[in-house]
Amino acid sequence: MTTQLHVQIPATSANLGSGFDAVGIALAFYNDMYFTEEPDRQEIVITLEGLGQDSIPTCFDDNLVGQAMKAVAVKNRQFLPKGGTLRLVNRIPPSRGLGSSSAALIGGIILGNALTGSKMTKEDMLSLATVMEGHPDNVAPALYGGLAVSIMVDGRTMTNSIPIEEDLSFVTVSPQIEVSTEKARQALPKTIEYQSAVFNVSRVSFLISSLFTKQYDRLQYGLQDRLHVPYRIRLIPGGSDVLQAAVNAGALGATISGSGSTLIAFAAGQEDHIMHAMIHAFSAHGVEAEGHILKCSNEGARIIP
Ligand code: HSE
């Protein structure tokens, strides 16, 4: 029987302001991957639909999904099928801070594992994805769903995934400007003041506890950050004005999504108004932007039967 697999992987928003490199949330906005084994072929051919057609390599060895599938096959000591088609349907915009590379890695790892004996546990898959990505805050929510808080222990990644209810929405607005994570990380200082570390510890604890206790009016404080947002917001034209516009329009708080360029606002009402205010603020700086109103994806990546 020919193997056919379909995996769906959510977009993610990392950091959530104060949770730099540790906290991320899965969003109900998905990439799909379909693998079909074709014994007559001598290679795995990639077809690409949707976003990233001009930037994402379609050669299996150069593609992130292909690289993740191969890494898993090595770990599982089993060969991938020799021939097949890997169809990638991309909705998550690349290099916009919505976890497109994590979605590629997690999708590839899940596919690769399913095709080579399913020997890896979910935690094994997370640890491999973290090594490949360099930090856990996108790959963890992409795999587990919910709001994921991750730590590294002896080279392994541990994550706690907390479900987020439907009363909270996430407004993402992506400008037509790419910011690579590499460039955004280069913008960070090498050291920070002790007081800034204390500030972030208190803010991220306050963020998670405000979510748990549903004190949504307090989220604005929990989202505050001194480790990365002040250094990165200047890479996004009009960024500070757009964050302010979101809050003025009724958002509970707003920050950079991952390393940008997308900005994300938390909301419990007024979502349309917030999205249009953010798009409008971008356009006042001559920047076109696209918005989405999303819920949290509490399930994470999964094989669709
Ligand atoms: N935590 C990472 C960063 C996420 O902000 O650099 C990158 O998507």
Side-chain angles (χ1 to χ4, degrees), residues 190-248:
K190 296 277 174 283
T191 58
I192 51 144
E193 293 288 324
Y194 199 83
Q195 278 312 314
S196 297
V198 172
F199 181 93
N200 266 62
V201 169
S202 66
R203 285 333 192 252
V204 74
S205 312
F206 202 71
L207 174 72
I208 307 297
S209 54
S210 300
L211 282 168
F212 253 122
T213 54
K214 286 186 172 279
Q215 297 183 83
Y216 294 157
D217 56 325
R218 296 185 164 198
L219 292 175
Q220 57 182 311
Y221 305 110
L223 290 167
Q224 289 173 345
D225 165 75
R226 287 199 186 156
L227 301 187
H228 65 108
V229 173
Y231 308 99
R232 287 173 163 177
I233 197 69
R234 57 186 79 131
L235 303 176
I236 306 168
S240 298
D241 288 350
V242 179
L243 295 181
Q244 190 58 52
V247 172
N248 293 349

Side-chain angles (χ1 to χ4, degrees), residues 16 68 108 143 188 203:
L16 301 190
L143 185 59
L188 304 178
R203 285 333 192 252

